[in-house]
Amino acid sequence: MNNNDFDSLPEALQDLYIKMQDDLYDGLKDDVVEATVEALDQWGQEPADILQLGLVAGMDIVGEDFRDGILFVPEVLLAAKAMKGAMEILRPLLTEVKDVDRQGTVVIGTVKGDIHDIGKNLVGMMLEGAGFEVVNLGINVDADQFLAALREHNADILGMSALLTTTMPYMRTVIQRLRDEGLRERTIVLVGGAPLTSAFAEDIGADRYCEDAAVAVEAAKALMEIKRRKA
Amino acid sequence: MADRLFELLERKGLVLGDGAMGTMLQLAGLTDGGAPELWNVARPDVVRAIYQGYADAGSDIITTNSFGGTRYRLKLHHLQERVFELNQAAAALAREVAGADRLVAGSMGPTGELMEPLGPLTLDDARTAFAEQAAGLAAGGVDFFLVETMSSLDEVQAALEGARAASDLPVVVTMTFDTNYRTMMGVTPAQAVQTLHDWGVTVVGANCGNGPAEIERIMTEMAQARPEGVVLMAQSNAGLPRWRDGDISYDGTPEVMADYTRRMRALGVQVIGACCGSTPDHLAAMRTALDGPPLAHYEPAFDVSALQGKPVSDSTARRAARRAQRAET
Ligand code: B1M
């Protein structure tokens, strides 16, 4: 759904979405959850549309204001918690849809030595919203854990996140292990996190650097398409 | 309380801190994401050589290799049961190098955990963890504790109370204002200097961050808000990290850091050192700048007009109205 579609929604529903964004911004988890239920039950909205028009649109504003120095980490964390609350309702519904157009399986985690998980979780939720099955390994994940999970879930995509200049080099180690153990060919490797660049991603042998969650979803879809055609 | 830091300040007026530990260890081969603190016992030769490098460069203070020495940080490396040992070793090595002339600062960095209500860490648990670290550092012979790179005042409070519970050595606090000139938790330099003064901390400042230009603005704000009697401290990164030729390096040269040193002097900062990316070469240049004449004319290197006003986003007014409505009902 794009902005035109948003404009063509009934005004009361538009208001509901804007209220959802505002409440997310203010970190009001209960209100965001309530609005999510209302959009589902009373308006019959698709889970993916609620995610996009309500939650992600709200998080975009939070992200912008964080970048501009209007919001700081405490507010961002509260907003992320509110989003997580709503996702608990949407997740099972998103999975229901998935069997029809299943996109693929993603194993995602923050690399060893690094405990930043806000951005990575956001990416995970957006991928779920786009129809991927997401296995979130959490923080401080080492190569063994990444490889074990890729095998266990027969995953298509590995997503790694690093927010520290001291932990980003570890991504190279993980990719090398994929090569050593013959998993690199069949695994799409996406990397992200604020200090990364596409030059870095290329240098370590990743398939794509994702500057934000939207890019991550696009890249995951596009590379899966290529992978499917090859198969 | 034997406050050797104050004696030194009275005697010298201006004190040179030291430089990076983490990036120096990386240069020395710590590249597997392992715990820097483990090298206090596994590679004491390397840690001692880094301390010695700063001593030879003219540092008045040697800072211990214990930044991630709380149990929460060591837990990432399954070393949480060795807090006392690793901190004591960090301090004992530094004491050896520093001798009687130089001071040893016991570095205490953030736990990396979020404190209640944002995260799971309680004030009690944090206090206990810092006390445990401080006990090891004190046993190894530090002269004072340096609580550094902090972003949350709650965590500073825990560190302060923990350190004070473990020992009566003085505590110095520096925070990191790397998110639009505030800490990532939103603390302003003025708020930091005021609050820490209220909590009985006399040496207060900023460290790490996004390079000398950023810290210059932060120290200006601190200097403007500084209560009587507070001594300011600054330890800037040597510029910014850049990914170059398959490696990360910082772009601040020794000349840049010498210029930063003179600027800090001009702002009335009395304890001046460096952080990530700096080396003994940087500190030697800073020593020269500290011993030489002050700047004849100080011209701020940042946009002074930026000190006023806070940006407001488009959706702010709408939310304000909604909040007011909510308050009514
Ligand atoms: C498919 O795979 C993909 C695809 C896309 C991916 C992806 C994976 N991962 C990310 N993306 C992309 O999509 C996401 C959504 O659009 C984006 O994710 P981001 O994560 O970039 O964006 C998030 C939505 C919002 N951004 C964030 O959540 C990060 C914000 C900042 C302020 C930040 C936070 C919140 C925290 N921190 Co930390 N922290 C900072 C950050 C400074 C900043 N201004 O960015 C940064 C990253 N921290 C830093 C530091 C130094 C530290 N932090 C630390 C701790 C923390 C907190 C615990 C307090 C907290 C984390 C809470 C949590 N649960 O995650 C410590 C490290 C602990 C550790 N070992 O990891 C500590 C070392 C502090 C200390 N002195 O101890 C700095 C790193 C400096 C550097 N260059 O290395 C830092 C840049 C702050 C600064 N200097 O300005 C994209 O990057």
Side-chain angles (χ1 to χ4, degrees), chain B residues 85-117:
Chain B
E85 174 204 354
L86 296 177
N87 282 285
Q88 183 181 27
L93 283 173
R95 185 79 271 163
E96 239 177 73
V97 171
D101 300 342
R102 296 185 175 78
L103 302 191
V104 176
S107 170
M108 297 170 63
T111 59
E113 302 279 324
L114 290 162
M115 300 213 24
E116 278 187 331

PDB file of all heavy atoms in Angstrom, chain B residues 85-117:
ATOM      1  N   GLU B  85      40.298 -10.370  40.238  1.00  0.00           N
ATOM      2  CA  GLU B  85      41.632 -10.719  39.732  1.00  0.00           C
ATOM      3  C   GLU B  85      42.047  -9.836  38.542  1.00  0.00           C
ATOM      4  O   GLU B  85      43.156  -9.274  38.524  1.00  0.00           O
ATOM      5  CB  GLU B  85      41.600 -12.195  39.301  1.00  0.00           C
ATOM      6  CG  GLU B  85      42.856 -12.689  38.623  1.00  0.00           C
ATOM      7  CD  GLU B  85      42.582 -13.899  37.710  1.00  0.00           C
ATOM      8  OE1 GLU B  85      41.437 -14.418  37.708  1.00  0.00           O
ATOM      9  OE2 GLU B  85      43.516 -14.306  36.987  1.00  0.00           O
ATOM     10  N   LEU B  86      41.165  -9.696  37.551  1.00  0.00           N
ATOM     11  CA  LEU B  86      41.539  -8.969  36.331  1.00  0.00           C
ATOM     12  C   LEU B  86      41.700  -7.475  36.597  1.00  0.00           C
ATOM     13  O   LEU B  86      42.567  -6.818  36.024  1.00  0.00           O
ATOM     14  CB  LEU B  86      40.508  -9.227  35.228  1.00  0.00           C
ATOM     15  CG  LEU B  86      40.428 -10.685  34.750  1.00  0.00           C
ATOM     16  CD1 LEU B  86      39.324 -10.857  33.702  1.00  0.00           C
ATOM     17  CD2 LEU B  86      41.772 -11.155  34.182  1.00  0.00           C
ATOM     18  N   ASN B  87      40.859  -6.944  37.493  1.00  0.00           N
ATOM     19  CA  ASN B  87      40.983  -5.523  37.823  1.00  0.00           C
ATOM     20  C   ASN B  87      42.220  -5.256  38.675  1.00  0.00           C
ATOM     21  O   ASN B  87      42.931  -4.272  38.475  1.00  0.00           O
ATOM     22  CB  ASN B  87      39.718  -5.032  38.529  1.00  0.00           C
ATOM     23  CG  ASN B  87      38.579  -4.784  37.559  1.00  0.00           C
ATOM     24  OD1 ASN B  87      38.583  -3.784  36.841  1.00  0.00           O
ATOM     25  ND2 ASN B  87      37.632  -5.701  37.492  1.00  0.00           N
ATOM     26  N   GLN B  88      42.468  -6.158  39.609  1.00  0.00           N
ATOM     27  CA  GLN B  88      43.654  -5.983  40.438  1.00  0.00           C
ATOM     28  C   GLN B  88      44.916  -6.029  39.579  1.00  0.00           C
ATOM     29  O   GLN B  88      45.826  -5.209  39.732  1.00  0.00           O
ATOM     30  CB  GLN B  88      43.714  -7.082  41.500  1.00  0.00           C
ATOM     31  CG  GLN B  88      44.885  -6.905  42.445  1.00  0.00           C
ATOM     32  CD  GLN B  88      44.961  -8.014  43.484  1.00  0.00           C
ATOM     33  OE1 GLN B  88      44.497  -9.132  43.248  1.00  0.00           O
ATOM     34  NE2 GLN B  88      45.529  -7.700  44.629  1.00  0.00           N
ATOM     35  N   ALA B  89      44.949  -6.977  38.636  1.00  0.00           N
ATOM     36  CA  ALA B  89      46.117  -7.106  37.765  1.00  0.00           C
ATOM     37  C   ALA B  89      46.301  -5.854  36.914  1.00  0.00           C
ATOM     38  O   ALA B  89      47.427  -5.366  36.727  1.00  0.00           O
ATOM     39  CB  ALA B  89      45.968  -8.333  36.874  1.00  0.00           C
ATOM     40  N   ALA B  90      45.188  -5.309  36.398  1.00  0.00           N
ATOM     41  CA  ALA B  90      45.263  -4.086  35.586  1.00  0.00           C
ATOM     42  C   ALA B  90      45.917  -2.966  36.386  1.00  0.00           C
ATOM     43  O   ALA B  90      46.779  -2.227  35.881  1.00  0.00           O
ATOM     44  CB  ALA B  90      43.862  -3.663  35.152  1.00  0.00           C
ATOM     45  N   ALA B  91      45.500  -2.858  37.651  1.00  0.00           N
ATOM     46  CA  ALA B  91      45.993  -1.767  38.494  1.00  0.00           C
ATOM     47  C   ALA B  91      47.439  -2.001  38.927  1.00  0.00           C
ATOM     48  O   ALA B  91      48.261  -1.073  38.936  1.00  0.00           O
ATOM     49  CB  ALA B  91      45.094  -1.618  39.716  1.00  0.00           C
ATOM     50  N   ALA B  92      47.761  -3.248  39.261  1.00  0.00           N
ATOM     51  CA  ALA B  92      49.116  -3.533  39.744  1.00  0.00           C
ATOM     52  C   ALA B  92      50.154  -3.259  38.646  1.00  0.00           C
ATOM     53  O   ALA B  92      51.212  -2.676  38.907  1.00  0.00           O
ATOM     54  CB  ALA B  92      49.207  -4.985  40.227  1.00  0.00           C
ATOM     55  N   LEU B  93      49.826  -3.641  37.414  1.00  0.00           N
ATOM     56  CA  LEU B  93      50.737  -3.370  36.293  1.00  0.00           C
ATOM     57  C   LEU B  93      50.928  -1.870  36.098  1.00  0.00           C
ATOM     58  O   LEU B  93      52.042  -1.390  35.858  1.00  0.00           O
ATOM     59  CB  LEU B  93      50.170  -3.961  34.994  1.00  0.00           C
ATOM     60  CG  LEU B  93      50.291  -5.465  34.752  1.00  0.00           C
ATOM     61  CD1 LEU B  93      49.498  -5.837  33.494  1.00  0.00           C
ATOM     62  CD2 LEU B  93      51.747  -5.867  34.596  1.00  0.00           C
ATOM     63  N   ALA B  94      49.826  -1.138  36.194  1.00  0.00           N
ATOM     64  CA  ALA B  94      49.896   0.313  35.997  1.00  0.00           C
ATOM     65  C   ALA B  94      50.710   0.955  37.115  1.00  0.00           C
ATOM     66  O   ALA B  94      51.513   1.874  36.881  1.00  0.00           O
ATOM     67  CB  ALA B  94      48.488   0.907  35.944  1.00  0.00           C
ATOM     68  N   ARG B  95      50.502   0.451  38.326  1.00  0.00           N
ATOM     69  CA  ARG B  95      51.237   0.995  39.478  1.00  0.00           C
ATOM     70  C   ARG B  95      52.742   0.818  39.283  1.00  0.00           C
ATOM     71  O   ARG B  95      53.533   1.730  39.541  1.00  0.00           O
ATOM     72  CB  ARG B  95      50.771   0.263  40.740  1.00  0.00           C
ATOM     73  CG  ARG B  95      51.333   0.761  42.043  1.00  0.00           C
ATOM     74  CD  ARG B  95      50.641   2.026  42.534  1.00  0.00           C
ATOM     75  NE  ARG B  95      51.236   3.251  42.034  1.00  0.00           N
ATOM     76  CZ  ARG B  95      50.632   4.436  42.059  1.00  0.00           C
ATOM     77  NH1 ARG B  95      49.404   4.565  42.516  1.00  0.00           N
ATOM     78  NH2 ARG B  95      51.243   5.511  41.616  1.00  0.00           N
ATOM     79  N   GLU B  96      53.110  -0.381  38.795  1.00  0.00           N
ATOM     80  CA  GLU B  96      54.518  -0.683  38.522  1.00  0.00           C
ATOM     81  C   GLU B  96      55.122   0.364  37.586  1.00  0.00           C
ATOM     82  O   GLU B  96      56.200   0.888  37.832  1.00  0.00           O
ATOM     83  CB  GLU B  96      54.564  -2.012  37.763  1.00  0.00           C
ATOM     84  CG  GLU B  96      55.343  -3.148  38.372  1.00  0.00           C
ATOM     85  CD  GLU B  96      55.173  -4.365  37.474  1.00  0.00           C
ATOM     86  OE1 GLU B  96      55.769  -4.385  36.381  1.00  0.00           O
ATOM     87  OE2 GLU B  96      54.404  -5.284  37.852  1.00  0.00           O
ATOM     88  N   VAL B  97      54.408   0.648  36.500  1.00  0.00           N
ATOM     89  CA  VAL B  97      54.915   1.581  35.495  1.00  0.00           C
ATOM     90  C   VAL B  97      54.879   3.020  36.009  1.00  0.00           C
ATOM     91  O   VAL B  97      55.804   3.803  35.795  1.00  0.00           O
ATOM     92  CB  VAL B  97      54.103   1.464  34.179  1.00  0.00           C
ATOM     93  CG1 VAL B  97      54.478   2.569  33.201  1.00  0.00           C
ATOM     94  CG2 VAL B  97      54.301   0.089  33.561  1.00  0.00           C
ATOM     95  N   ALA B  98      53.804   3.363  36.717  1.00  0.00           N
ATOM     96  CA  ALA B  98      53.608   4.754  37.131  1.00  0.00           C
ATOM     97  C   ALA B  98      54.579   5.160  38.232  1.00  0.00           C
ATOM     98  O   ALA B  98      54.972   6.327  38.329  1.00  0.00           O
ATOM     99  CB  ALA B  98      52.166   4.952  37.612  1.00  0.00           C
ATOM    100  N   GLY B  99      54.959   4.208  39.064  1.00  0.00           N
ATOM    101  CA  GLY B  99      55.834   4.539  40.170  1.00  0.00           C
ATOM    102  C   GLY B  99      55.171   5.516  41.109  1.00  0.00           C
ATOM    103  O   GLY B  99      53.943   5.582  41.210  1.00  0.00           O
ATOM    104  N   ALA B 100      55.988   6.316  41.775  1.00  0.00           N
ATOM    105  CA  ALA B 100      55.433   7.241  42.749  1.00  0.00           C
ATOM    106  C   ALA B 100      55.089   8.586  42.113  1.00  0.00           C
ATOM    107  O   ALA B 100      54.292   9.350  42.646  1.00  0.00           O
ATOM    108  CB  ALA B 100      56.432   7.430  43.890  1.00  0.00           C
ATOM    109  N   ASP B 101      55.689   8.876  40.950  1.00  0.00           N
ATOM    110  CA  ASP B 101      55.519  10.206  40.350  1.00  0.00           C
ATOM    111  C   ASP B 101      54.190  10.384  39.636  1.00  0.00           C
ATOM    112  O   ASP B 101      53.582  11.442  39.664  1.00  0.00           O
ATOM    113  CB  ASP B 101      56.629  10.466  39.323  1.00  0.00           C
ATOM    114  CG  ASP B 101      57.998  10.406  39.967  1.00  0.00           C
ATOM    115  OD1 ASP B 101      58.046  10.518  41.204  1.00  0.00           O
ATOM    116  OD2 ASP B 101      58.988  10.235  39.229  1.00  0.00           O
ATOM    117  N   ARG B 102      53.781   9.319  38.972  1.00  0.00           N
ATOM    118  CA  ARG B 102      52.557   9.435  38.192  1.00  0.00           C
ATOM    119  C   ARG B 102      51.393   8.828  38.955  1.00  0.00           C
ATOM    120  O   ARG B 102      51.563   7.968  39.809  1.00  0.00           O
ATOM    121  CB  ARG B 102      52.714   8.705  36.867  1.00  0.00           C
ATOM    122  CG  ARG B 102      53.773   9.302  35.990  1.00  0.00           C
ATOM    123  CD  ARG B 102      53.819   8.644  34.633  1.00  0.00           C
ATOM    124  NE  ARG B 102      54.778   9.353  33.803  1.00  0.00           N
ATOM    125  CZ  ARG B 102      56.090   9.191  33.897  1.00  0.00           C
ATOM    126  NH1 ARG B 102      56.581   8.337  34.763  1.00  0.00           N
ATOM    127  NH2 ARG B 102      56.888   9.895  33.141  1.00  0.00           N
ATOM    128  N   LEU B 103      50.193   9.248  38.582  1.00  0.00           N
ATOM    129  CA  LEU B 103      49.007   8.697  39.233  1.00  0.00           C
ATOM    130  C   LEU B 103      48.427   7.558  38.411  1.00  0.00           C
ATOM    131  O   LEU B 103      48.582   7.519  37.191  1.00  0.00           O
ATOM    132  CB  LEU B 103      47.942   9.783  39.394  1.00  0.00           C
ATOM    133  CG  LEU B 103      48.351  11.020  40.194  1.00  0.00           C
ATOM    134  CD1 LEU B 103      47.119  11.871  40.485  1.00  0.00           C
ATOM    135  CD2 LEU B 103      49.032  10.634  41.495  1.00  0.00           C
ATOM    136  N   VAL B 104      47.748   6.672  39.107  1.00  0.00           N
ATOM    137  CA  VAL B 104      47.045   5.593  38.416  1.00  0.00           C
ATOM    138  C   VAL B 104      45.542   5.807  38.559  1.00  0.00           C
ATOM    139  O   VAL B 104      45.018   5.924  39.675  1.00  0.00           O
ATOM    140  CB  VAL B 104      47.435   4.212  38.976  1.00  0.00           C
ATOM    141  CG1 VAL B 104      46.608   3.113  38.313  1.00  0.00           C
ATOM    142  CG2 VAL B 104      48.926   3.952  38.771  1.00  0.00           C
ATOM    143  N   ALA B 105      44.867   5.881  37.394  1.00  0.00           N
ATOM    144  CA  ALA B 105      43.408   6.029  37.380  1.00  0.00           C
ATOM    145  C   ALA B 105      42.793   4.669  37.103  1.00  0.00           C
ATOM    146  O   ALA B 105      43.145   4.015  36.124  1.00  0.00           O
ATOM    147  CB  ALA B 105      42.993   7.017  36.293  1.00  0.00           C
ATOM    148  N   GLY B 106      41.875   4.242  37.936  1.00  0.00           N
ATOM    149  CA  GLY B 106      41.205   2.950  37.738  1.00  0.00           C
ATOM    150  C   GLY B 106      39.981   3.121  36.854  1.00  0.00           C
ATOM    151  O   GLY B 106      38.949   3.632  37.288  1.00  0.00           O
ATOM    152  N   SER B 107      40.113   2.701  35.611  1.00  0.00           N
ATOM    153  CA  SER B 107      39.020   2.895  34.654  1.00  0.00           C
ATOM    154  C   SER B 107      37.817   2.007  34.970  1.00  0.00           C
ATOM    155  O   SER B 107      37.944   0.805  35.171  1.00  0.00           O
ATOM    156  CB  SER B 107      39.520   2.586  33.239  1.00  0.00           C
ATOM    157  OG  SER B 107      38.437   2.543  32.341  1.00  0.00           O
ATOM    158  N   MET B 108      36.648   2.644  35.007  1.00  0.00           N
ATOM    159  CA  MET B 108      35.392   1.908  35.206  1.00  0.00           C
ATOM    160  C   MET B 108      34.401   2.366  34.143  1.00  0.00           C
ATOM    161  O   MET B 108      33.923   3.489  34.163  1.00  0.00           O
ATOM    162  CB  MET B 108      34.823   2.193  36.612  1.00  0.00           C
ATOM    163  CG  MET B 108      35.745   1.703  37.735  1.00  0.00           C
ATOM    164  SD  MET B 108      35.262   2.254  39.392  1.00  0.00           S
ATOM    165  CE  MET B 108      33.682   1.487  39.596  1.00  0.00           C
ATOM    166  N   GLY B 109      34.116   1.487  33.172  1.00  0.00           N
ATOM    167  CA  GLY B 109      33.191   1.832  32.092  1.00  0.00           C
ATOM    168  C   GLY B 109      31.794   1.297  32.348  1.00  0.00           C
ATOM    169  O   GLY B 109      31.561   0.601  33.342  1.00  0.00           O
ATOM    170  N   PRO B 110      30.872   1.618  31.445  1.00  0.00           N
ATOM    171  CA  PRO B 110      29.485   1.176  31.614  1.00  0.00           C
ATOM    172  C   PRO B 110      29.352  -0.348  31.616  1.00  0.00           C
ATOM    173  O   PRO B 110      30.177  -1.049  31.033  1.00  0.00           O
ATOM    174  CB  PRO B 110      28.759   1.747  30.396  1.00  0.00           C
ATOM    175  CG  PRO B 110      29.716   2.593  29.680  1.00  0.00           C
ATOM    176  CD  PRO B 110      31.076   2.380  30.215  1.00  0.00           C
ATOM    177  N   THR B 111      28.292  -0.822  32.247  1.00  0.00           N
ATOM    178  CA  THR B 111      28.022  -2.258  32.259  1.00  0.00           C
ATOM    179  C   THR B 111      27.546  -2.741  30.891  1.00  0.00           C
ATOM    180  O   THR B 111      27.603  -3.922  30.599  1.00  0.00           O
ATOM    181  CB  THR B 111      26.890  -2.592  33.243  1.00  0.00           C
ATOM    182  OG1 THR B 111      25.733  -1.862  32.834  1.00  0.00           O
ATOM    183  CG2 THR B 111      27.267  -2.233  34.661  1.00  0.00           C
ATOM    184  N   GLY B 112      27.029  -1.805  30.074  1.00  0.00           N
ATOM    185  CA  GLY B 112      26.452  -2.201  28.794  1.00  0.00           C
ATOM    186  C   GLY B 112      25.006  -2.653  28.926  1.00  0.00           C
ATOM    187  O   GLY B 112      24.351  -2.932  27.939  1.00  0.00           O
ATOM    188  N   GLU B 113      24.529  -2.701  30.167  1.00  0.00           N
ATOM    189  CA  GLU B 113      23.127  -3.082  30.386  1.00  0.00           C
ATOM    190  C   GLU B 113      22.296  -1.817  30.542  1.00  0.00           C
ATOM    191  O   GLU B 113      22.794  -0.790  30.998  1.00  0.00           O
ATOM    192  CB  GLU B 113      22.988  -3.893  31.675  1.00  0.00           C
ATOM    193  CG  GLU B 113      23.817  -5.155  31.718  1.00  0.00           C
ATOM    194  CD  GLU B 113      23.153  -6.302  30.979  1.00  0.00           C
ATOM    195  OE1 GLU B 113      21.916  -6.396  31.027  1.00  0.00           O
ATOM    196  OE2 GLU B 113      23.885  -7.090  30.343  1.00  0.00           O
ATOM    197  N   LEU B 114      21.042  -1.911  30.194  1.00  0.00           N
ATOM    198  CA  LEU B 114      20.152  -0.782  30.416  1.00  0.00           C
ATOM    199  C   LEU B 114      19.571  -0.878  31.812  1.00  0.00           C
ATOM    200  O   LEU B 114      19.208  -1.940  32.277  1.00  0.00           O
ATOM    201  CB  LEU B 114      19.029  -0.793  29.389  1.00  0.00           C
ATOM    202  CG  LEU B 114      19.470  -0.474  27.961  1.00  0.00           C
ATOM    203  CD1 LEU B 114      18.412  -0.926  26.966  1.00  0.00           C
ATOM    204  CD2 LEU B 114      19.746   1.013  27.807  1.00  0.00           C
ATOM    205  N   MET B 115      19.481   0.288  32.466  1.00  0.00           N
ATOM    206  CA  MET B 115      18.971   0.280  33.836  1.00  0.00           C
ATOM    207  C   MET B 115      17.455   0.443  33.861  1.00  0.00           C
ATOM    208  O   MET B 115      16.863   0.999  32.957  1.00  0.00           O
ATOM    209  CB  MET B 115      19.649   1.391  34.634  1.00  0.00           C
ATOM    210  CG  MET B 115      21.143   1.164  34.650  1.00  0.00           C
ATOM    211  SD  MET B 115      22.056   1.665  36.096  1.00  0.00           S
ATOM    212  CE  MET B 115      20.964   1.699  37.433  1.00  0.00           C
ATOM    213  N   GLU B 116      16.879  -0.043  34.941  1.00  0.00           N
ATOM    214  CA  GLU B 116      15.441   0.111  35.151  1.00  0.00           C
ATOM    215  C   GLU B 116      15.054   1.577  35.035  1.00  0.00           C
ATOM    216  O   GLU B 116      15.823   2.431  35.465  1.00  0.00           O
ATOM    217  CB  GLU B 116      15.077  -0.380  36.563  1.00  0.00           C
ATOM    218  CG  GLU B 116      14.921  -1.874  36.648  1.00  0.00           C
ATOM    219  CD  GLU B 116      14.395  -2.296  38.027  1.00  0.00           C
ATOM    220  OE1 GLU B 116      14.670  -1.589  39.019  1.00  0.00           O
ATOM    221  OE2 GLU B 116      13.725  -3.317  38.093  1.00  0.00           O
ATOM    222  N   PRO B 117      13.914   1.955  34.519  1.00  0.00           N
ATOM    223  CA  PRO B 117      12.861   1.076  33.986  1.00  0.00           C
ATOM    224  C   PRO B 117      13.057   0.718  32.508  1.00  0.00           C
ATOM    225  O   PRO B 117      12.257  -0.031  31.970  1.00  0.00           O
ATOM    226  CB  PRO B 117      11.612   1.952  34.149  1.00  0.00           C
ATOM    227  CG  PRO B 117      12.120   3.341  33.955  1.00  0.00           C
ATOM    228  CD  PRO B 117      13.511   3.372  34.483  1.00  0.00           C
TER     229      PRO B 117
END
